[in-house]
Amino acid sequence: MTDAIKIVEPTVFDLSSPGRTGVTFPASDVPAAALPPEHLLRPSLPLPELAEVDVVRHYMRLSKFNYSVDSGFYPLGSCTMKYNPKIDEDTCRLPGFVHTHPLQPIETVQGNLALMYQLQEWLKEISGFAAITLQPAAGAHGEFTGVLMMRAYHASRGDTKRVKMLIPDSAHGTNPASSGMIGLQVVQIPSDARGNVDLEALKAQCDDTVVGIMVTNPNTLGMFDENIEQVVKMVHDCGGLVYGDGANLNALLGIVRPGDLGIDVMHFNLHKTFAVPHGGGGPGSGPVGVAAHLADFLPEPLVGIVEDESDDQPPLFGFVKPAKSIGRMKAFHGHFGGGLVRTYTYIAMQGPDGLKDIAQYAVLNANYLLARLRDTYHVPYDRICMHEFVAEGQFEGSDVRALDIAKRLMDYNFHPPTNYFPLIVREALMIEPTETENKDTLDAFANAMIKIAEEAKTSPELLHNAPHITPFGRMDEVKAARELALCCWLPEDYESQ
Protein backbone atom coordinates (compact mmCIF):
# COMPACT_ATOMS: atom_id res chain seq x y z
CA MET A 1 0.00 0.00 0.00
CA THR A 2 1.10 3.55 -0.62
CA ASP A 3 -0.61 4.82 2.54
CA ALA A 4 -0.43 3.50 6.06
CA ILE A 5 -3.09 1.01 7.08
CA LYS A 6 -5.92 2.80 8.84
CA ILE A 7 -7.66 -0.17 10.36
CA VAL A 8 -5.93 -3.42 11.05
CA GLU A 9 -8.02 -6.52 11.55
CA PRO A 10 -5.80 -9.23 13.01
CA THR A 11 -5.81 -12.62 11.34
CA VAL A 12 -7.30 -15.59 13.15
CA PHE A 13 -3.72 -16.69 13.85
CA ASP A 14 -2.95 -13.35 15.48
CA LEU A 15 -6.11 -13.70 17.61
CA SER A 16 -5.25 -17.24 18.61
CA SER A 17 -4.58 -18.00 22.28
CA PRO A 18 -3.24 -21.43 23.41
CA GLY A 19 -5.93 -23.56 24.99
CA ARG A 20 -8.88 -21.45 23.87
CA THR A 21 -11.62 -23.53 22.23
CA GLY A 22 -14.73 -22.83 20.24
CA VAL A 23 -16.72 -25.96 21.12
CA THR A 24 -16.43 -28.39 24.03
CA PHE A 25 -18.04 -31.80 24.05
CA PRO A 26 -19.12 -33.93 27.02
CA ALA A 27 -16.92 -36.87 27.93
CA SER A 28 -17.31 -39.68 25.43
CA ASP A 29 -19.39 -42.65 26.56
CA VAL A 30 -18.06 -44.93 23.80
CA PRO A 31 -14.55 -46.41 23.33
CA ALA A 32 -12.13 -44.17 21.45
CA ALA A 33 -11.41 -45.22 17.89
CA ALA A 34 -7.82 -46.03 17.01
CA LEU A 35 -5.86 -43.43 15.06
CA PRO A 36 -4.34 -44.28 11.65
CA PRO A 37 -0.71 -45.52 11.62
CA GLU A 38 1.77 -42.93 12.81
CA HIS A 39 3.39 -42.49 9.39
CA LEU A 40 0.06 -41.23 8.07
CA LEU A 41 -0.30 -38.60 10.77
CA ARG A 42 0.97 -35.01 10.62
CA PRO A 43 3.61 -34.17 13.25
CA SER A 44 1.57 -31.09 14.09
CA LEU A 45 -1.53 -29.21 12.99
CA PRO A 46 -1.03 -25.55 13.88
CA LEU A 47 -4.61 -24.33 13.68
CA PRO A 48 -5.67 -21.14 15.46
CA GLU A 49 -7.32 -21.56 18.86
CA LEU A 50 -10.28 -19.25 19.42
CA ALA A 51 -13.66 -19.09 21.09
CA GLU A 52 -16.74 -19.13 18.87
CA VAL A 53 -17.53 -15.51 19.65
CA ASP A 54 -14.01 -14.47 18.57
CA VAL A 55 -14.50 -16.17 15.21
CA VAL A 56 -17.96 -14.72 14.63
CA ARG A 57 -16.90 -11.18 15.47
CA HIS A 58 -13.72 -11.46 13.37
CA TYR A 59 -15.62 -12.44 10.24
CA MET A 60 -18.41 -9.95 10.91
CA ARG A 61 -15.81 -7.19 11.01
CA LEU A 62 -14.24 -8.44 7.78
CA SER A 63 -17.64 -8.59 6.06
CA LYS A 64 -18.15 -4.89 6.72
CA PHE A 65 -15.03 -4.12 4.67
CA ASN A 66 -16.83 -5.32 1.56
CA TYR A 67 -18.72 -3.13 -0.86
CA SER A 68 -21.63 -4.87 -2.53
CA VAL A 69 -24.52 -4.18 -4.87
CA ASP A 70 -26.80 -4.66 -1.89
CA SER A 71 -25.15 -1.73 -0.11
CA GLY A 72 -24.53 0.75 -2.92
CA PHE A 73 -24.34 1.73 -6.60
CA TYR A 74 -22.05 -0.34 -8.80
CA PRO A 75 -21.58 1.50 -12.15
CA LEU A 76 -18.99 -1.02 -13.22
CA GLY A 77 -19.28 -1.03 -17.00
CA SER A 78 -18.42 -3.94 -19.30
CA CYS A 79 -19.58 -6.46 -16.73
CA THR A 80 -23.00 -5.48 -15.44
CA MET A 81 -23.36 -5.48 -11.68
CA LYS A 82 -27.04 -4.88 -11.18
CA TYR A 83 -29.26 -5.63 -8.25
CA ASN A 84 -30.19 -9.30 -8.06
CA PRO A 85 -33.78 -9.99 -6.96
CA LYS A 86 -33.80 -12.10 -3.82
CA ILE A 87 -36.53 -14.39 -5.11
CA ASP A 88 -33.88 -15.81 -7.48
CA GLU A 89 -31.87 -16.82 -4.43
CA ASP A 90 -34.92 -18.43 -2.82
CA THR A 91 -35.86 -20.60 -5.78
CA CYS A 92 -32.36 -21.93 -6.43
CA ARG A 93 -32.30 -23.12 -2.82
CA LEU A 94 -35.54 -25.08 -3.00
CA PRO A 95 -34.91 -28.62 -1.66
CA GLY A 96 -36.09 -30.23 -4.89
CA PHE A 97 -33.27 -28.50 -6.75
CA VAL A 98 -30.57 -28.51 -4.09
CA HIS A 99 -30.85 -32.19 -3.18
CA THR A 100 -30.48 -33.65 -6.66
CA HIS A 101 -27.42 -35.00 -8.45
CA PRO A 102 -26.59 -34.97 -12.18
CA LEU A 103 -25.99 -38.73 -12.17
CA GLN A 104 -29.50 -39.56 -10.96
CA PRO A 105 -31.74 -41.54 -13.36
CA ILE A 106 -33.65 -39.11 -15.56
CA GLU A 107 -36.98 -40.44 -14.25
CA THR A 108 -36.11 -39.02 -10.82
CA VAL A 109 -35.15 -35.51 -11.97
CA GLN A 110 -37.92 -34.66 -14.41
CA GLY A 111 -38.54 -31.31 -12.73
CA ASN A 112 -34.92 -30.26 -13.22
CA LEU A 113 -34.90 -31.40 -16.83
CA ALA A 114 -38.22 -29.70 -17.57
CA LEU A 115 -36.79 -26.43 -16.23
CA MET A 116 -33.67 -26.79 -18.39
CA TYR A 117 -35.71 -27.65 -21.48
CA GLN A 118 -38.00 -24.65 -20.96
CA LEU A 119 -34.99 -22.38 -20.40
CA GLN A 120 -33.50 -23.58 -23.70
CA GLU A 121 -36.81 -22.73 -25.41
CA TRP A 122 -37.00 -19.28 -23.79
CA LEU A 123 -33.42 -18.41 -24.77
CA LYS A 124 -34.20 -19.48 -28.35
CA GLU A 125 -37.23 -17.18 -28.40
CA ILE A 126 -35.33 -14.26 -26.84
CA SER A 127 -32.31 -14.52 -29.16
CA GLY A 128 -33.75 -15.85 -32.43
CA PHE A 129 -31.51 -18.90 -32.52
CA ALA A 130 -32.48 -22.44 -33.51
CA ALA A 131 -30.82 -24.37 -30.69
CA ILE A 132 -29.15 -23.77 -27.31
CA THR A 133 -26.61 -25.51 -25.09
CA LEU A 134 -26.62 -24.72 -21.37
CA GLN A 135 -23.25 -26.36 -20.68
CA PRO A 136 -20.59 -23.60 -20.75
CA ALA A 137 -19.62 -22.47 -17.27
CA ALA A 138 -18.95 -18.79 -18.06
CA GLY A 139 -18.94 -16.25 -20.87
CA ALA A 140 -15.39 -16.94 -22.04
CA HIS A 141 -16.11 -20.67 -21.86
CA GLY A 142 -19.10 -20.02 -24.12
CA GLU A 143 -16.85 -18.13 -26.54
CA PHE A 144 -14.43 -21.03 -26.66
CA THR A 145 -17.33 -23.42 -27.28
CA GLY A 146 -18.63 -21.24 -30.11
CA VAL A 147 -15.24 -20.93 -31.80
CA LEU A 148 -14.77 -24.71 -31.63
CA MET A 149 -18.12 -25.13 -33.40
CA MET A 150 -17.16 -22.60 -36.08
CA ARG A 151 -13.96 -24.52 -36.77
CA ALA A 152 -15.80 -27.85 -36.80
CA TYR A 153 -18.37 -26.45 -39.25
CA HIS A 154 -15.68 -25.44 -41.76
CA ALA A 155 -13.80 -28.73 -41.29
CA SER A 156 -16.98 -30.74 -41.94
CA ARG A 157 -17.21 -29.08 -45.35
CA GLY A 158 -13.57 -29.80 -46.18
CA ASP A 159 -12.77 -26.09 -45.94
CA THR A 160 -9.56 -26.44 -43.94
CA LYS A 161 -7.67 -23.39 -45.17
CA ARG A 162 -9.61 -21.03 -42.91
CA VAL A 163 -7.30 -19.91 -40.08
CA LYS A 164 -8.14 -16.24 -39.53
CA MET A 165 -10.49 -14.77 -36.90
CA LEU A 166 -11.41 -11.10 -37.30
CA ILE A 167 -11.96 -9.19 -34.04
CA PRO A 168 -12.86 -5.48 -33.80
CA ASP A 169 -10.81 -3.38 -31.39
CA SER A 170 -14.02 -2.58 -29.46
CA ALA A 171 -14.67 -6.25 -28.65
CA HIS A 172 -14.34 -7.86 -25.25
CA GLY A 173 -10.79 -8.86 -24.41
CA THR A 174 -11.67 -12.51 -24.05
CA ASN A 175 -12.54 -12.77 -27.76
CA PRO A 176 -8.93 -12.86 -29.04
CA ALA A 177 -7.97 -15.14 -26.16
CA SER A 178 -10.69 -17.66 -27.07
CA SER A 179 -9.57 -17.71 -30.71
CA GLY A 180 -5.89 -17.89 -29.86
CA MET A 181 -6.45 -20.87 -27.58
CA ILE A 182 -7.34 -23.06 -30.56
CA GLY A 183 -4.52 -21.71 -32.72
CA LEU A 184 -6.41 -19.26 -34.92
CA GLN A 185 -4.70 -16.16 -36.27
CA VAL A 186 -6.30 -13.11 -34.67
CA VAL A 187 -6.66 -10.04 -36.90
CA GLN A 188 -7.78 -6.81 -35.26
CA ILE A 189 -10.26 -4.60 -37.10
CA PRO A 190 -10.26 -0.89 -36.12
CA SER A 191 -13.34 1.16 -35.24
CA ASP A 192 -14.47 4.12 -37.31
CA ALA A 193 -15.09 7.61 -35.96
CA ARG A 194 -18.59 6.68 -34.74
CA GLY A 195 -17.46 3.58 -32.88
CA ASN A 196 -18.66 1.11 -35.54
CA VAL A 197 -16.58 -1.60 -37.23
CA ASP A 198 -14.53 0.12 -39.94
CA LEU A 199 -16.06 -1.36 -43.11
CA GLU A 200 -13.09 -0.59 -45.35
CA ALA A 201 -10.69 -2.29 -42.96
CA LEU A 202 -13.05 -5.25 -42.70
CA LYS A 203 -13.38 -5.51 -46.47
CA ALA A 204 -9.59 -5.66 -46.81
CA GLN A 205 -9.46 -8.76 -44.58
CA CYS A 206 -12.42 -10.70 -45.99
CA ASP A 207 -11.05 -13.62 -48.00
CA ASP A 208 -11.24 -17.39 -48.14
CA THR A 209 -9.00 -17.83 -45.07
CA VAL A 210 -11.53 -16.23 -42.70
CA VAL A 211 -13.07 -18.51 -40.08
CA GLY A 212 -15.32 -15.68 -38.99
CA ILE A 213 -15.65 -12.49 -37.01
CA MET A 214 -16.34 -12.07 -33.28
CA VAL A 215 -18.54 -9.02 -32.79
CA THR A 216 -19.49 -7.55 -29.43
CA ASN A 217 -22.74 -5.68 -30.03
CA PRO A 218 -23.41 -3.36 -28.26
CA ASN A 219 -19.65 -3.01 -28.17
CA THR A 220 -17.40 -1.98 -25.30
CA LEU A 221 -17.86 1.69 -26.22
CA GLY A 222 -21.55 1.19 -25.46
CA MET A 223 -22.42 1.67 -29.14
CA PHE A 224 -24.82 -0.39 -31.22
CA ASP A 225 -23.01 -0.99 -34.50
CA GLU A 226 -24.98 0.97 -37.10
CA ASN A 227 -23.58 -1.24 -39.88
CA ILE A 228 -24.07 -4.64 -38.27
CA GLU A 229 -26.10 -6.01 -41.20
CA GLN A 230 -23.33 -4.99 -43.65
CA VAL A 231 -20.71 -6.53 -41.36
CA VAL A 232 -22.63 -9.82 -41.31
CA LYS A 233 -23.09 -9.81 -45.09
CA MET A 234 -19.43 -9.08 -45.82
CA VAL A 235 -18.26 -11.96 -43.63
CA HIS A 236 -20.88 -14.38 -44.97
CA ASP A 237 -20.02 -13.42 -48.56
CA CYS A 238 -16.44 -14.60 -48.02
CA GLY A 239 -17.62 -17.87 -46.46
CA GLY A 240 -17.00 -16.91 -42.83
CA LEU A 241 -19.31 -17.16 -39.82
CA VAL A 242 -20.36 -14.42 -37.41
CA TYR A 243 -19.90 -14.87 -33.66
CA GLY A 244 -21.89 -12.55 -31.44
CA ASP A 245 -20.53 -11.76 -27.98
CA GLY A 246 -23.80 -11.60 -26.04
CA ALA A 247 -22.33 -10.17 -22.85
CA ASN A 248 -24.27 -6.92 -23.34
CA LEU A 249 -27.60 -8.54 -24.21
CA ASN A 250 -29.44 -6.72 -21.41
CA ALA A 251 -29.47 -3.67 -23.71
CA LEU A 252 -31.31 -5.59 -26.45
CA LEU A 253 -33.83 -7.79 -24.60
CA GLY A 254 -37.20 -7.71 -26.32
CA ILE A 255 -35.94 -5.15 -28.85
CA VAL A 256 -33.49 -6.92 -31.18
CA ARG A 257 -32.82 -10.65 -31.64
CA PRO A 258 -29.20 -11.35 -32.66
CA GLY A 259 -30.31 -14.38 -34.69
CA ASP A 260 -32.50 -12.12 -36.81
CA LEU A 261 -29.45 -9.99 -37.66
CA GLY A 262 -27.73 -13.00 -39.20
CA ILE A 263 -25.47 -13.84 -36.23
CA ASP A 264 -24.54 -17.55 -36.49
CA VAL A 265 -23.48 -18.28 -32.91
CA MET A 266 -23.57 -16.32 -29.65
CA HIS A 267 -23.00 -16.89 -25.95
CA PHE A 268 -25.26 -15.45 -23.27
CA ASN A 269 -23.84 -14.14 -20.01
CA LEU A 270 -26.61 -15.42 -17.79
CA HIS A 271 -24.57 -14.13 -14.88
CA LYS A 272 -25.17 -10.53 -15.93
CA THR A 273 -28.10 -10.33 -18.35
CA PHE A 274 -30.45 -12.35 -16.16
CA ALA A 275 -29.45 -11.27 -12.65
CA VAL A 276 -27.16 -14.09 -11.67
CA PRO A 277 -24.32 -12.62 -9.58
CA HIS A 278 -21.32 -11.74 -11.68
CA GLY A 279 -18.66 -14.40 -12.32
CA GLY A 280 -16.13 -12.83 -9.98
CA GLY A 281 -18.62 -12.86 -7.14
CA GLY A 282 -20.66 -15.93 -7.92
CA PRO A 283 -21.03 -18.76 -10.39
CA GLY A 284 -20.92 -17.82 -14.06
CA SER A 285 -23.01 -19.35 -16.80
CA GLY A 286 -22.46 -19.00 -20.54
CA PRO A 287 -25.04 -20.90 -22.65
CA VAL A 288 -24.53 -20.74 -26.41
CA GLY A 289 -27.16 -20.28 -29.10
CA VAL A 290 -26.67 -21.22 -32.74
CA ALA A 291 -28.40 -20.89 -36.09
CA ALA A 292 -29.85 -24.05 -37.66
CA HIS A 293 -26.74 -24.85 -39.74
CA LEU A 294 -24.64 -25.12 -36.56
CA ALA A 295 -27.12 -27.06 -34.40
CA ASP A 296 -25.53 -30.43 -35.16
CA PHE A 297 -22.20 -29.22 -33.74
CA LEU A 298 -23.45 -28.25 -30.26
CA PRO A 299 -21.80 -29.91 -27.25
CA GLU A 300 -23.45 -33.06 -25.98
CA PRO A 301 -25.74 -33.68 -24.30
CA LEU A 302 -28.67 -31.29 -24.75
CA VAL A 303 -31.91 -31.59 -22.84
CA GLY A 304 -34.65 -32.94 -25.08
CA ILE A 305 -37.94 -34.83 -25.09
CA VAL A 306 -37.13 -38.53 -25.33
CA GLU A 307 -40.76 -39.73 -25.13
CA ASP A 308 -43.68 -37.65 -26.38
CA GLU A 309 -46.54 -36.83 -24.09
CA SER A 310 -49.73 -38.86 -24.22
CA ASP A 311 -53.29 -38.19 -23.14
CA ASP A 312 -52.50 -38.98 -19.51
CA GLN A 313 -48.72 -38.61 -19.33
CA PRO A 314 -46.46 -35.56 -19.68
CA PRO A 315 -43.43 -35.81 -21.99
CA LEU A 316 -40.35 -37.59 -20.66
CA PHE A 317 -37.33 -35.30 -20.65
CA GLY A 318 -33.83 -36.70 -21.10
CA PHE A 319 -30.56 -36.09 -22.88
CA VAL A 320 -29.91 -36.09 -26.63
CA LYS A 321 -26.69 -35.97 -28.66
CA PRO A 322 -26.33 -33.65 -31.69
CA ALA A 323 -25.25 -35.53 -34.84
CA LYS A 324 -21.80 -33.87 -35.23
CA SER A 325 -21.25 -32.76 -31.64
CA ILE A 326 -17.89 -31.27 -30.67
CA GLY A 327 -18.19 -33.30 -27.44
CA ARG A 328 -18.61 -32.31 -23.84
CA MET A 329 -17.51 -28.89 -22.64
CA LYS A 330 -18.22 -29.52 -18.95
CA ALA A 331 -18.47 -32.54 -16.70
CA PHE A 332 -22.23 -32.19 -16.24
CA HIS A 333 -24.90 -29.90 -17.62
CA GLY A 334 -24.04 -26.32 -16.70
CA HIS A 335 -24.31 -24.41 -13.42
CA PHE A 336 -27.76 -25.68 -12.62
CA GLY A 337 -28.76 -24.02 -9.35
CA GLY A 338 -26.52 -20.97 -9.41
CA GLY A 339 -27.07 -20.15 -13.08
CA LEU A 340 -30.01 -21.92 -14.64
CA VAL A 341 -32.61 -21.86 -11.85
CA ARG A 342 -31.90 -18.21 -11.09
CA THR A 343 -32.23 -17.31 -14.78
CA TYR A 344 -35.43 -19.33 -15.18
CA THR A 345 -36.90 -17.48 -12.20
CA TYR A 346 -35.81 -14.09 -13.50
CA ILE A 347 -37.31 -14.61 -16.96
CA ALA A 348 -40.52 -16.09 -15.53
CA MET A 349 -40.95 -13.15 -13.16
CA GLN A 350 -40.30 -10.53 -15.85
CA GLY A 351 -42.26 -11.97 -18.76
CA PRO A 352 -41.94 -10.52 -22.29
CA ASP A 353 -42.93 -6.98 -21.30
CA GLY A 354 -40.63 -6.96 -18.29
CA LEU A 355 -37.63 -8.09 -20.36
CA LYS A 356 -38.30 -5.30 -22.84
CA ASP A 357 -38.49 -2.80 -19.96
CA ILE A 358 -35.06 -3.99 -18.78
CA ALA A 359 -33.46 -3.03 -22.09
CA GLN A 360 -35.26 0.29 -22.25
CA TYR A 361 -34.37 1.30 -18.69
CA ALA A 362 -30.74 0.19 -19.13
CA VAL A 363 -30.42 2.42 -22.20
CA LEU A 364 -32.39 5.28 -20.67
CA ASN A 365 -30.28 5.32 -17.51
CA ALA A 366 -27.00 5.28 -19.44
CA ASN A 367 -28.10 8.13 -21.72
CA TYR A 368 -29.30 10.16 -18.71
CA LEU A 369 -25.87 9.90 -17.09
CA LEU A 370 -24.19 10.67 -20.40
CA ALA A 371 -26.29 13.84 -20.71
CA ARG A 372 -25.37 14.88 -17.14
CA LEU A 373 -21.62 14.31 -17.61
CA ARG A 374 -20.71 15.07 -21.23
CA ASP A 375 -20.08 18.77 -20.49
CA THR A 376 -17.65 17.84 -17.70
CA TYR A 377 -15.88 14.75 -19.05
CA HIS A 378 -14.79 14.35 -22.67
CA VAL A 379 -16.68 11.52 -24.38
CA PRO A 380 -14.77 10.60 -27.56
CA TYR A 381 -17.60 8.57 -29.11
CA ASP A 382 -20.47 10.86 -28.22
CA ARG A 383 -23.74 9.68 -29.71
CA ILE A 384 -26.84 7.94 -28.35
CA CYS A 385 -25.40 5.07 -26.34
CA MET A 386 -26.84 1.75 -25.30
CA HIS A 387 -26.31 0.38 -21.79
CA GLU A 388 -23.00 2.16 -21.09
CA PHE A 389 -20.69 4.89 -22.31
CA VAL A 390 -16.97 5.62 -22.09
CA ALA A 391 -15.58 8.95 -20.91
CA GLU A 392 -11.99 10.14 -20.55
CA GLY A 393 -10.70 10.52 -16.99
CA GLN A 394 -8.28 13.35 -17.70
CA PHE A 395 -8.43 17.14 -17.80
CA GLU A 396 -6.29 19.70 -19.60
CA GLY A 397 -3.77 21.25 -17.23
CA SER A 398 -4.21 18.56 -14.54
CA ASP A 399 -2.10 15.47 -13.84
CA VAL A 400 -5.14 13.62 -12.46
CA ARG A 401 -5.77 10.31 -14.18
CA ALA A 402 -8.68 7.90 -14.53
CA LEU A 403 -7.39 5.78 -11.65
CA ASP A 404 -7.43 8.81 -9.34
CA ILE A 405 -11.05 9.56 -10.24
CA ALA A 406 -12.04 5.95 -9.71
CA LYS A 407 -10.41 5.89 -6.27
CA ARG A 408 -11.95 9.23 -5.27
CA LEU A 409 -15.42 7.88 -6.07
CA MET A 410 -14.99 5.49 -3.15
CA ASP A 411 -14.94 8.50 -0.82
CA TYR A 412 -18.40 9.35 -2.14
CA ASN A 413 -19.59 5.78 -1.39
CA PHE A 414 -19.72 4.63 -5.00
CA HIS A 415 -17.95 1.61 -6.46
CA PRO A 416 -15.48 2.74 -9.14
CA PRO A 417 -16.35 2.05 -12.78
CA THR A 418 -14.08 -0.02 -15.01
CA ASN A 419 -11.10 2.06 -16.03
CA TYR A 420 -8.46 1.77 -18.78
CA PHE A 421 -10.81 -0.33 -20.91
CA PRO A 422 -11.54 -0.32 -23.77
CA LEU A 423 -7.97 0.34 -24.84
CA ILE A 424 -9.00 2.59 -27.72
CA VAL A 425 -10.00 5.39 -25.30
CA ARG A 426 -7.27 7.22 -23.37
CA GLU A 427 -7.75 7.16 -19.58
CA ALA A 428 -11.04 5.35 -20.11
CA LEU A 429 -13.85 5.37 -17.56
CA MET A 430 -16.53 2.91 -18.65
CA ILE A 431 -19.79 3.75 -16.91
CA GLU A 432 -22.79 1.43 -16.85
CA PRO A 433 -25.63 2.37 -14.49
CA THR A 434 -27.76 -0.71 -15.29
CA GLU A 435 -31.53 -0.82 -15.38
CA THR A 436 -31.99 -1.31 -11.65
CA GLU A 437 -31.03 2.19 -10.41
CA ASN A 438 -33.46 5.06 -9.85
CA LYS A 439 -33.04 8.73 -10.79
CA ASP A 440 -32.02 9.75 -7.26
CA THR A 441 -29.08 7.36 -7.34
CA LEU A 442 -28.07 8.44 -10.84
CA ASP A 443 -28.18 12.11 -9.83
CA ALA A 444 -26.10 11.46 -6.72
CA PHE A 445 -23.48 9.69 -8.84
CA ALA A 446 -23.45 12.44 -11.48
CA ASN A 447 -23.08 15.10 -8.77
CA ALA A 448 -20.14 13.22 -7.28
CA MET A 449 -18.45 12.93 -10.68
CA ILE A 450 -18.89 16.66 -11.32
CA LYS A 451 -17.55 17.49 -7.86
CA ILE A 452 -14.53 15.24 -8.43
CA ALA A 453 -13.82 17.00 -11.73
CA GLU A 454 -13.69 20.30 -9.82
CA GLU A 455 -11.37 18.78 -7.23
CA ALA A 456 -9.09 17.52 -9.99
CA LYS A 457 -8.43 21.10 -11.00
CA THR A 458 -8.34 22.76 -7.57
CA SER A 459 -7.05 20.02 -5.22
CA PRO A 460 -5.42 17.28 -7.30
CA GLU A 461 -3.62 15.80 -4.28
CA LEU A 462 -7.02 14.97 -2.85
CA LEU A 463 -7.47 12.59 -5.77
CA HIS A 464 -3.88 11.34 -5.92
CA ASN A 465 -4.16 10.08 -2.32
CA ALA A 466 -7.74 8.78 -2.49
CA PRO A 467 -9.53 6.91 -1.10
CA HIS A 468 -9.60 8.57 2.30
CA ILE A 469 -12.59 7.04 4.09
CA THR A 470 -12.12 3.36 3.33
CA PRO A 471 -10.68 0.91 5.89
CA PHE A 472 -7.49 0.77 3.82
CA GLY A 473 -5.84 3.49 1.77
CA ARG A 474 -4.82 3.14 -1.87
CA MET A 475 -3.51 -0.32 -2.57
CA ASP A 476 -0.40 -1.00 -4.64
CA GLU A 477 -2.17 -2.75 -7.52
CA VAL A 478 1.03 -3.54 -9.43
CA LYS A 479 2.52 -5.28 -6.40
CA ALA A 480 -0.74 -7.18 -5.87
CA ALA A 481 -0.70 -8.36 -9.48
CA ARG A 482 2.94 -9.45 -9.47
CA GLU A 483 3.22 -11.01 -6.02
CA LEU A 484 0.48 -13.56 -5.80
CA ALA A 485 1.34 -15.07 -2.40
CA LEU A 486 -1.84 -14.53 -0.39
CA CYS A 487 -0.90 -16.50 2.71
CA CYS A 488 -0.17 -14.19 5.62
CA TRP A 489 1.35 -16.76 7.93
CA LEU A 490 3.18 -20.08 7.53
CA PRO A 491 4.31 -22.46 10.25
CA GLU A 492 8.03 -22.38 10.91
CA ASP A 493 8.56 -25.92 9.63
CA TYR A 494 6.39 -25.41 6.53
CA GLU A 495 9.18 -26.20 4.07
CA SER A 496 10.05 -29.50 5.75
CA GLN A 497 6.39 -30.57 5.64
Side-chain angles (χ1 to χ4, degrees):
M1 290 190 307
T2 55
D3 283 344
I5 295 174
K6 298 176 181 176
I7 297 176
V8 175
E9 175 61 28
T11 68
V12 288
F13 293 97
D14 295 324
L15 294 170
S16 176
S17 178
R20 191 171 293 169
T21 59
V23 178
T24 56
F25 294 97
S28 175
D29 58 357
V30 297
L35 293 173
E38 188 172 349
H39 70 278
L40 296 178
L41 299 177
R42 296 185 183 90
S44 64
L45 186 59
L47 295 176
E49 299 173 74
L50 299 102
E52 180 179 299
V53 66
D54 298 330
V55 176
V56 170
R57 288 175 178 170
H58 169 71
Y59 285 106
M60 279 299 294
R61 288 192 292 270
L62 288 181
S63 73
K64 292 178 182 177
F65 289 180
N66 288 337
Y67 188 91
S68 70
V69 76
D70 285 346
S71 60
F73 182 36
Y74 230 101
L76 192 58
S78 183
C79 296
T80 310
M81 199 64 171
K82 61 187 180 185
Y83 177 75
N84 309 136
K86 295 299 176 268
I87 190 172
D88 300 350
E89 305 301 310
D90 291 338
T91 55
C92 74
R93 288 172 171 77
L94 290 173
F97 293 137
V98 171
H99 299 146
T100 52
H101 191 280
L103 293 180
Q104 283 183 225
I106 61 171
E107 292 80 5
T108 67
V109 286
Q110 283 296 294
N112 300 39
L113 293 173
L115 181 147
M116 295 171 72
Y117 181 84
Q118 185 61 60
L119 183 56
Q120 289 175 179
E121 295 299 302
W122 282 346
L123 293 179
K124 286 162 58 177
E125 182 179 351
I126 289 169
S127 62
F129 289 115
I132 302 286
T133 173
L134 302 176
Q135 272 195 29
H141 195 202
E143 290 176 26
F144 187 62
T145 302
V147 175
L148 285 176
M149 284 190 284
M150 293 167 74
R151 185 177 67 173
Y153 170 80
H154 291 306
S156 73
R157 301 164 65 241
D159 196 354
T160 57
K161 60 182 175 301
R162 295 183 180 273
V163 295
K164 196 164 63 177
M165 183 67 83
L166 311 179
I167 301 181
D169 60 7
S170 61
H172 278 123
T174 48
N175 291 180
S178 299
S179 297
M181 284 177 65
I182 63 171
L184 298 181
Q185 175 190 349
V186 175
V187 177
Q188 181 170 287
I189 306 297
S191 300
D192 66 17
R194 290 181 60 79
N196 301 312
V197 172
D198 186 311
L199 295 180
E200 288 301 316
L202 176 62
K203 181 180 179 181
Q205 293 294 337
C206 283
D207 56 32
D208 61 1
T209 67
V210 169
V211 172
I213 187 171
M214 298 184 79
V215 177
T216 303
N217 192 32
N219 61 27
T220 58
L221 295 168
M223 304 284 110
F224 186 89
D225 197 301
E226 299 163 307
N227 306 316
I228 185 63
E229 291 177 307
Q230 289 174 264
V231 169
V232 170
K233 184 177 187 307
M234 290 170 70
V235 174
H236 282 171
D237 284 349
C238 74
L241 298 171
V242 179
Y243 186 96
D245 184 318
N248 298 330
L249 188 64
N250 66 315
L252 305 180
L253 289 174
I255 308 292
V256 175
R257 302 199 311 168
D260 295 342
L261 296 174
I263 306 293
D264 299 291
V265 52
M266 183 192 83
H267 77 269
F268 305 76
N269 274 7
L270 297 190
H271 52 282
K272 56 179 289 189
T273 302
F274 300 106
V276 176
H278 181 252
S285 188
V288 173
V290 296
H293 52 280
L294 290 177
D296 283 347
F297 299 91
L298 283 167
E300 64 163 317
L302 308 177
V303 178
I305 295 175
V306 295
E307 288 183 16
D308 291 331
E309 64 181 325
S310 62
D311 292 339
D312 57 354
Q313 291 290 330
L316 180 68
F317 296 98
F319 297 110
V320 297
K321 179 181 178 180
K324 302 175 183 176
S325 175
I326 60 171
R328 272 187 183 274
M329 294 301 296
K330 193 172 186 300
F332 293 120
H333 315 303
H335 281 148
F336 177 72
L340 308 186
V341 178
R342 282 192 179 109
T343 298
Y344 179 95
T345 306
Y346 189 77
I347 295 174
M349 293 291 292
Q350 296 294 337
D353 291 339
L355 293 179
K356 189 174 182 179
D357 285 345
I358 287 168
Q360 292 175 330
Y361 285 126
V363 173
L364 178 63
N365 282 0
N367 278 281
Y368 180 72
L369 275 186
L370 173 60
R372 288 286 320 267
L373 296 176
R374 63 159 51 99
D375 291 337
T376 305
Y377 291 83
H378 179 237
V379 179
Y381 297 90
D382 190 2
R383 61 177 169 95
I384 298 294
C385 67
M386 297 297 289
H387 61 301
E388 66 190 2
F389 63 95
V390 181
E392 290 182 355
Q394 60 182 356
F395 306 98
E396 187 174 350
S398 172
D399 61 353
V400 162
R401 304 177 62 200
L403 181 65
D404 301 320
I405 296 169
K407 297 298 184 186
R408 182 59 176 154
L409 270 170
M410 299 167 74
D411 290 333
Y412 287 87
N413 291 316
F414 293 111
H415 192 284
T418 295
N419 49 51
Y420 300 108
F421 185 79
L423 301 177
I424 55 178
V425 175
R426 292 173 61 86
E427 298 293 328
L429 290 169
M430 178 189 281
I431 299 170
E432 179 176 6
T434 81
E435 64 273 15
T436 60
E437 302 301 331
N438 61 37
K439 183 174 179 296
D440 292 341
T441 301
L442 300 181
D443 280 332
F445 176 77
N447 293 340
M449 288 288 289
I450 293 169
K451 178 66 176 175
I452 290 171
E454 294 173 4
E455 294 172 348
K457 299 168 186 172
T458 60
S459 308
E461 289 307 309
L462 197 59
L463 278 70
H464 291 324
N465 297 321
H468 299 276
I469 67 167
T470 54
F472 296 89
R474 185 176 296 199
M475 309 298 287
D476 187 337
E477 298 180 3
V478 174
K479 182 179 177 66
R482 291 182 176 176
E483 298 182 17
L484 301 179
L486 298 177
C487 187
C488 59
W489 175 86
L490 291 172
E492 293 179 358
D493 57 347
Y494 174 77
E495 292 297 334
S496 64
Q497 293 183 46

